[in-house]
mmCIF file with all atom_site columns, all heavy atoms in Angstrom:
data_model
loop_
_atom_site.group_PDB
_atom_site.id
_atom_site.type_symbol
_atom_site.label_atom_id
_atom_site.label_alt_id
_atom_site.label_comp_id
_atom_site.label_asym_id
_atom_site.label_entity_id
_atom_site.label_seq_id
_atom_site.pdbx_PDB_ins_code
_atom_site.Cartn_x
_atom_site.Cartn_y
_atom_site.Cartn_z
_atom_site.occupancy
_atom_site.B_iso_or_equiv
_atom_site.pdbx_formal_charge
_atom_site.auth_seq_id
_atom_site.auth_comp_id
_atom_site.auth_asym_id
_atom_site.auth_atom_id
_atom_site.pdbx_PDB_model_num
ATOM   1   N  N   . CYS T 1 53  ? 173.245 -52.118 99.109  1.00 98.00 ? 53  CYS T N   1
ATOM   2   C  CA  . CYS T 1 53  ? 173.462 -51.337 97.888  1.00 98.00 ? 53  CYS T CA  1
ATOM   3   C  C   . CYS T 1 53  ? 172.162 -51.107 97.139  1.00 98.00 ? 53  CYS T C   1
ATOM   4   O  O   . CYS T 1 53  ? 171.135 -51.704 97.441  1.00 98.00 ? 53  CYS T O   1
ATOM   5   C  CB  . CYS T 1 53  ? 174.504 -51.993 96.997  1.00 98.00 ? 53  CYS T CB  1
ATOM   6   S  SG  . CYS T 1 53  ? 173.963 -53.504 96.230  1.00 98.00 ? 53  CYS T SG  1
ATOM   7   N  N   . CYS T 1 54  ? 172.237 -50.223 96.166  1.00 97.00 ? 54  CYS T N   1
ATOM   8   C  CA  . CYS T 1 54  ? 171.053 -49.873 95.383  1.00 97.00 ? 54  CYS T CA  1
ATOM   9   C  C   . CYS T 1 54  ? 170.619 -51.049 94.509  1.00 97.00 ? 54  CYS T C   1
ATOM   10  O  O   . CYS T 1 54  ? 171.426 -51.887 94.099  1.00 97.00 ? 54  CYS T O   1
ATOM   11  C  CB  . CYS T 1 54  ? 171.352 -48.648 94.513  1.00 97.00 ? 54  CYS T CB  1
ATOM   12  S  SG  . CYS T 1 54  ? 169.897 -48.060 93.600  1.00 97.00 ? 54  CYS T SG  1
ATOM   13  N  N   . SER T 1 55  ? 169.313 -51.083 94.214  1.00 97.00 ? 55  SER T N   1
ATOM   14  C  CA  . SER T 1 55  ? 168.743 -52.169 93.391  1.00 97.00 ? 55  SER T CA  1
ATOM   15  C  C   . SER T 1 55  ? 169.073 -52.037 91.909  1.00 97.00 ? 55  SER T C   1
ATOM   16  O  O   . SER T 1 55  ? 168.799 -52.961 91.140  1.00 97.00 ? 55  SER T O   1
ATOM   17  C  CB  . SER T 1 55  ? 167.216 -52.150 93.514  1.00 97.00 ? 55  SER T CB  1
ATOM   18  O  OG  . SER T 1 55  ? 166.842 -52.201 94.853  1.00 97.00 ? 55  SER T OG  1
ATOM   19  N  N   . ASP T 1 56  ? 169.631 -50.919 91.512  1.00 98.00 ? 56  ASP T N   1
ATOM   20  C  CA  . ASP T 1 56  ? 169.897 -50.640 90.094  1.00 98.00 ? 56  ASP T CA  1
ATOM   21  C  C   . ASP T 1 56  ? 170.576 -51.843 89.421  1.00 98.00 ? 56  ASP T C   1
ATOM   22  O  O   . ASP T 1 56  ? 171.544 -52.406 89.952  1.00 98.00 ? 56  ASP T O   1
ATOM   23  C  CB  . ASP T 1 56  ? 170.798 -49.399 89.993  1.00 98.00 ? 56  ASP T CB  1
ATOM   24  C  CG  . ASP T 1 56  ? 170.847 -48.832 88.589  1.00 98.00 ? 56  ASP T CG  1
ATOM   25  O  OD1 . ASP T 1 56  ? 171.354 -49.536 87.687  1.00 98.00 ? 56  ASP T OD1 1
ATOM   26  O  OD2 . ASP T 1 56  ? 170.397 -47.692 88.408  1.00 98.00 ? 56  ASP T OD2 1
ATOM   27  N  N   . SER T 1 57  ? 170.061 -52.206 88.237  1.00 98.00 ? 57  SER T N   1
ATOM   28  C  CA  . SER T 1 57  ? 170.569 -53.404 87.544  1.00 98.00 ? 57  SER T CA  1
ATOM   29  C  C   . SER T 1 57  ? 172.026 -53.252 87.115  1.00 98.00 ? 57  SER T C   1
ATOM   30  O  O   . SER T 1 57  ? 172.685 -54.238 86.771  1.00 98.00 ? 57  SER T O   1
ATOM   31  C  CB  . SER T 1 57  ? 169.702 -53.697 86.320  1.00 98.00 ? 57  SER T CB  1
ATOM   32  O  OG  . SER T 1 57  ? 169.789 -52.629 85.401  1.00 98.00 ? 57  SER T OG  1
ATOM   33  N  N   . ARG T 1 58  ? 172.526 -52.011 87.168  1.00 98.00 ? 58  ARG T N   1
ATOM   34  C  CA  . ARG T 1 58  ? 173.914 -51.773 86.747  1.00 98.00 ? 58  ARG T CA  1
ATOM   35  C  C   . ARG T 1 58  ? 174.892 -51.806 87.924  1.00 98.00 ? 58  ARG T C   1
ATOM   36  O  O   . ARG T 1 58  ? 176.063 -51.489 87.748  1.00 98.00 ? 58  ARG T O   1
ATOM   37  C  CB  . ARG T 1 58  ? 173.993 -50.418 86.037  1.00 98.00 ? 58  ARG T CB  1
ATOM   38  C  CG  . ARG T 1 58  ? 173.114 -50.337 84.799  1.00 98.00 ? 58  ARG T CG  1
ATOM   39  C  CD  . ARG T 1 58  ? 172.892 -48.916 84.350  1.00 98.00 ? 58  ARG T CD  1
ATOM   40  N  NE  . ARG T 1 58  ? 172.133 -48.147 85.330  1.00 98.00 ? 58  ARG T NE  1
ATOM   41  C  CZ  . ARG T 1 58  ? 171.817 -46.858 85.184  1.00 98.00 ? 58  ARG T CZ  1
ATOM   42  N  NH1 . ARG T 1 58  ? 172.177 -46.204 84.096  1.00 98.00 ? 58  ARG T NH1 1
ATOM   43  N  NH2 . ARG T 1 58  ? 171.133 -46.235 86.137  1.00 98.00 ? 58  ARG T NH2 1
ATOM   44  N  N   . ALA T 1 59  ? 174.376 -52.209 89.107  1.00 97.00 ? 59  ALA T N   1
ATOM   45  C  CA  . ALA T 1 59  ? 175.230 -52.189 90.306  1.00 97.00 ? 59  ALA T CA  1
ATOM   46  C  C   . ALA T 1 59  ? 175.255 -53.539 91.040  1.00 97.00 ? 59  ALA T C   1
ATOM   47  O  O   . ALA T 1 59  ? 174.996 -53.600 92.239  1.00 97.00 ? 59  ALA T O   1
ATOM   48  C  CB  . ALA T 1 59  ? 174.746 -51.081 91.252  1.00 97.00 ? 59  ALA T CB  1
ATOM   49  N  N   . VAL T 1 77  ? 168.239 -52.200 97.940  1.00 97.00 ? 77  VAL T N   1
ATOM   50  C  CA  . VAL T 1 77  ? 167.062 -51.336 98.025  1.00 97.00 ? 77  VAL T CA  1
ATOM   51  C  C   . VAL T 1 77  ? 167.367 -50.052 97.252  1.00 97.00 ? 77  VAL T C   1
ATOM   52  O  O   . VAL T 1 77  ? 168.498 -49.552 97.296  1.00 97.00 ? 77  VAL T O   1
ATOM   53  C  CB  . VAL T 1 77  ? 166.721 -51.046 99.514  1.00 97.00 ? 77  VAL T CB  1
ATOM   54  C  CG1 . VAL T 1 77  ? 167.894 -50.398 100.244 1.00 97.00 ? 77  VAL T CG1 1
ATOM   55  C  CG2 . VAL T 1 77  ? 165.484 -50.161 99.644  1.00 97.00 ? 77  VAL T CG2 1
ATOM   56  N  N   . ALA T 1 78  ? 166.373 -49.563 96.540  1.00 96.00 ? 78  ALA T N   1
ATOM   57  C  CA  . ALA T 1 78  ? 166.584 -48.352 95.746  1.00 96.00 ? 78  ALA T CA  1
ATOM   58  C  C   . ALA T 1 78  ? 167.122 -47.225 96.620  1.00 96.00 ? 78  ALA T C   1
ATOM   59  O  O   . ALA T 1 78  ? 166.576 -46.947 97.696  1.00 96.00 ? 78  ALA T O   1
ATOM   60  C  CB  . ALA T 1 78  ? 165.277 -47.929 95.084  1.00 96.00 ? 78  ALA T CB  1
ATOM   61  N  N   . GLY T 1 79  ? 168.211 -46.626 96.174  1.00 96.00 ? 79  GLY T N   1
ATOM   62  C  CA  . GLY T 1 79  ? 168.796 -45.488 96.885  1.00 96.00 ? 79  GLY T CA  1
ATOM   63  C  C   . GLY T 1 79  ? 169.631 -45.877 98.095  1.00 96.00 ? 79  GLY T C   1
ATOM   64  O  O   . GLY T 1 79  ? 170.007 -45.019 98.888  1.00 96.00 ? 79  GLY T O   1
ATOM   65  N  N   . ASN T 1 80  ? 169.918 -47.187 98.246  1.00 96.00 ? 80  ASN T N   1
ATOM   66  C  CA  . ASN T 1 80  ? 170.693 -47.690 99.413  1.00 96.00 ? 80  ASN T CA  1
ATOM   67  C  C   . ASN T 1 80  ? 170.326 -46.945 100.695 1.00 96.00 ? 80  ASN T C   1
ATOM   68  O  O   . ASN T 1 80  ? 171.187 -46.427 101.403 1.00 96.00 ? 80  ASN T O   1
ATOM   69  C  CB  . ASN T 1 80  ? 172.215 -47.670 99.156  1.00 96.00 ? 80  ASN T CB  1
ATOM   70  C  CG  . ASN T 1 80  ? 172.709 -46.481 98.354  1.00 96.00 ? 80  ASN T CG  1
ATOM   71  O  OD1 . ASN T 1 80  ? 172.658 -46.486 97.123  1.00 96.00 ? 80  ASN T OD1 1
ATOM   72  N  ND2 . ASN T 1 80  ? 173.148 -45.447 99.047  1.00 96.00 ? 80  ASN T ND2 1
ATOM   73  N  N   . MET T 1 105 ? 176.917 -49.200 99.429  1.00 98.00 ? 105 MET T N   1
ATOM   74  C  CA  . MET T 1 105 ? 177.377 -48.782 98.101  1.00 98.00 ? 105 MET T CA  1
ATOM   75  C  C   . MET T 1 105 ? 176.267 -48.095 97.301  1.00 98.00 ? 105 MET T C   1
ATOM   76  O  O   . MET T 1 105 ? 175.210 -48.672 97.050  1.00 98.00 ? 105 MET T O   1
ATOM   77  C  CB  . MET T 1 105 ? 177.912 -49.981 97.310  1.00 98.00 ? 105 MET T CB  1
ATOM   78  C  CG  . MET T 1 105 ? 178.566 -49.563 95.992  1.00 98.00 ? 105 MET T CG  1
ATOM   79  S  SD  . MET T 1 105 ? 179.448 -50.915 95.176  1.00 98.00 ? 105 MET T SD  1
ATOM   80  C  CE  . MET T 1 105 ? 178.111 -51.736 94.309  1.00 98.00 ? 105 MET T CE  1
ATOM   81  N  N   . GLY T 1 106 ? 176.542 -46.864 96.922  1.00 98.00 ? 106 GLY T N   1
ATOM   82  C  CA  . GLY T 1 106 ? 175.675 -46.155 95.989  1.00 98.00 ? 106 GLY T CA  1
ATOM   83  C  C   . GLY T 1 106 ? 176.359 -46.091 94.637  1.00 98.00 ? 106 GLY T C   1
ATOM   84  O  O   . GLY T 1 106 ? 177.464 -46.617 94.463  1.00 98.00 ? 106 GLY T O   1
ATOM   85  N  N   . HIS T 1 107 ? 175.722 -45.453 93.695  1.00 98.00 ? 107 HIS T N   1
ATOM   86  C  CA  . HIS T 1 107 ? 176.305 -45.417 92.351  1.00 98.00 ? 107 HIS T CA  1
ATOM   87  C  C   . HIS T 1 107 ? 175.908 -44.144 91.622  1.00 98.00 ? 107 HIS T C   1
ATOM   88  O  O   . HIS T 1 107 ? 174.892 -43.512 91.957  1.00 98.00 ? 107 HIS T O   1
ATOM   89  C  CB  . HIS T 1 107 ? 175.829 -46.631 91.548  1.00 98.00 ? 107 HIS T CB  1
ATOM   90  C  CG  . HIS T 1 107 ? 174.349 -46.627 91.306  1.00 98.00 ? 107 HIS T CG  1
ATOM   91  N  ND1 . HIS T 1 107 ? 173.784 -46.164 90.156  1.00 98.00 ? 107 HIS T ND1 1
ATOM   92  C  CD2 . HIS T 1 107 ? 173.324 -46.980 92.106  1.00 98.00 ? 107 HIS T CD2 1
ATOM   93  C  CE1 . HIS T 1 107 ? 172.469 -46.253 90.244  1.00 98.00 ? 107 HIS T CE1 1
ATOM   94  N  NE2 . HIS T 1 107 ? 172.153 -46.745 91.429  1.00 98.00 ? 107 HIS T NE2 1
ATOM   95  N  N   . THR T 1 108 ? 176.691 -43.799 90.627  1.00 97.00 ? 108 THR T N   1
ATOM   96  C  CA  . THR T 1 108 ? 176.381 -42.619 89.814  1.00 97.00 ? 108 THR T CA  1
ATOM   97  C  C   . THR T 1 108 ? 175.103 -42.867 89.009  1.00 97.00 ? 108 THR T C   1
ATOM   98  O  O   . THR T 1 108 ? 174.718 -44.016 88.774  1.00 97.00 ? 108 THR T O   1
ATOM   99  C  CB  . THR T 1 108 ? 177.550 -42.311 88.856  1.00 97.00 ? 108 THR T CB  1
ATOM   100 O  OG1 . THR T 1 108 ? 177.817 -43.490 88.074  1.00 97.00 ? 108 THR T OG1 1
ATOM   101 C  CG2 . THR T 1 108 ? 178.815 -41.936 89.610  1.00 97.00 ? 108 THR T CG2 1
ATOM   102 N  N   . GLN T 1 109 ? 174.480 -41.796 88.591  1.00 97.00 ? 109 GLN T N   1
ATOM   103 C  CA  . GLN T 1 109 ? 173.227 -41.857 87.805  1.00 97.00 ? 109 GLN T CA  1
ATOM   104 C  C   . GLN T 1 109 ? 172.122 -42.624 88.526  1.00 97.00 ? 109 GLN T C   1
ATOM   105 O  O   . GLN T 1 109 ? 171.358 -43.367 87.908  1.00 97.00 ? 109 GLN T O   1
ATOM   106 C  CB  . GLN T 1 109 ? 173.475 -42.472 86.423  1.00 97.00 ? 109 GLN T CB  1
ATOM   107 C  CG  . GLN T 1 109 ? 174.459 -41.683 85.571  1.00 97.00 ? 109 GLN T CG  1
ATOM   108 C  CD  . GLN T 1 109 ? 174.702 -42.348 84.218  1.00 97.00 ? 109 GLN T CD  1
ATOM   109 O  OE1 . GLN T 1 109 ? 173.800 -42.897 83.605  1.00 97.00 ? 109 GLN T OE1 1
ATOM   110 N  NE2 . GLN T 1 109 ? 175.938 -42.303 83.764  1.00 97.00 ? 109 GLN T NE2 1
ATOM   111 N  N   . CYS T 1 110 ? 172.059 -42.477 89.844  1.00 97.00 ? 110 CYS T N   1
ATOM   112 C  CA  . CYS T 1 110 ? 171.087 -43.235 90.634  1.00 97.00 ? 110 CYS T CA  1
ATOM   113 C  C   . CYS T 1 110 ? 169.679 -42.637 90.467  1.00 97.00 ? 110 CYS T C   1
ATOM   114 O  O   . CYS T 1 110 ? 169.449 -41.460 90.750  1.00 97.00 ? 110 CYS T O   1
ATOM   115 C  CB  . CYS T 1 110 ? 171.487 -43.234 92.110  1.00 97.00 ? 110 CYS T CB  1
ATOM   116 S  SG  . CYS T 1 110 ? 170.341 -44.169 93.141  1.00 97.00 ? 110 CYS T SG  1
ATOM   117 N  N   . GLY T 1 111 ? 168.745 -43.468 90.033  1.00 96.00 ? 111 GLY T N   1
ATOM   118 C  CA  . GLY T 1 111 ? 167.376 -43.006 89.798  1.00 96.00 ? 111 GLY T CA  1
ATOM   119 C  C   . GLY T 1 111 ? 166.697 -42.521 91.070  1.00 96.00 ? 111 GLY T C   1
ATOM   120 O  O   . GLY T 1 111 ? 165.879 -41.588 91.028  1.00 96.00 ? 111 GLY T O   1
ATOM   121 N  N   . ALA T 1 112 ? 167.024 -43.144 92.200  1.00 96.00 ? 112 ALA T N   1
ATOM   122 C  CA  . ALA T 1 112 ? 166.387 -42.754 93.467  1.00 96.00 ? 112 ALA T CA  1
ATOM   123 C  C   . ALA T 1 112 ? 166.849 -41.357 93.888  1.00 96.00 ? 112 ALA T C   1
ATOM   124 O  O   . ALA T 1 112 ? 166.060 -40.560 94.406  1.00 96.00 ? 112 ALA T O   1
ATOM   125 C  CB  . ALA T 1 112 ? 166.724 -43.778 94.552  1.00 96.00 ? 112 ALA T CB  1
ATOM   126 N  N   . ILE T 1 113 ? 168.127 -41.068 93.640  1.00 97.00 ? 113 ILE T N   1
ATOM   127 C  CA  . ILE T 1 113 ? 168.649 -39.734 93.964  1.00 97.00 ? 113 ILE T CA  1
ATOM   128 C  C   . ILE T 1 113 ? 168.013 -38.700 93.027  1.00 97.00 ? 113 ILE T C   1
ATOM   129 O  O   . ILE T 1 113 ? 167.564 -37.635 93.460  1.00 97.00 ? 113 ILE T O   1
ATOM   130 C  CB  . ILE T 1 113 ? 170.196 -39.704 93.810  1.00 97.00 ? 113 ILE T CB  1
ATOM   131 C  CG1 . ILE T 1 113 ? 170.863 -40.686 94.777  1.00 97.00 ? 113 ILE T CG1 1
ATOM   132 C  CG2 . ILE T 1 113 ? 170.734 -38.282 93.968  1.00 97.00 ? 113 ILE T CG2 1
ATOM   133 C  CD1 . ILE T 1 113 ? 170.750 -40.338 96.232  1.00 97.00 ? 113 ILE T CD1 1
ATOM   134 N  N   . THR T 1 161 ? 174.559 -37.976 95.611  1.00 98.00 ? 161 THR T N   1
ATOM   135 C  CA  . THR T 1 161 ? 174.826 -39.412 95.712  1.00 98.00 ? 161 THR T CA  1
ATOM   136 C  C   . THR T 1 161 ? 175.865 -39.683 96.802  1.00 98.00 ? 161 THR T C   1
ATOM   137 O  O   . THR T 1 161 ? 175.696 -40.568 97.643  1.00 98.00 ? 161 THR T O   1
ATOM   138 C  CB  . THR T 1 161 ? 175.318 -39.954 94.355  1.00 98.00 ? 161 THR T CB  1
ATOM   139 O  OG1 . THR T 1 161 ? 174.283 -39.738 93.402  1.00 98.00 ? 161 THR T OG1 1
ATOM   140 C  CG2 . THR T 1 161 ? 175.643 -41.429 94.418  1.00 98.00 ? 161 THR T CG2 1
HETATM 141 ZN ZN1 . ZN  E 2 .   ? 170.363 -46.334 92.392  1.00 75.59 ? 1   ZN  E ZN1 1
#
Side-chain angles (χ1 to χ4, degrees):
C53 70
C54 185
S55 306
D56 194 295
S57 63
R58 300 164 295 179
V77 58
N80 37 277
M105 187 170 83
H107 64 97
T108 55
Q109 299 179 38
C110 181
I113 298 292
T161 299

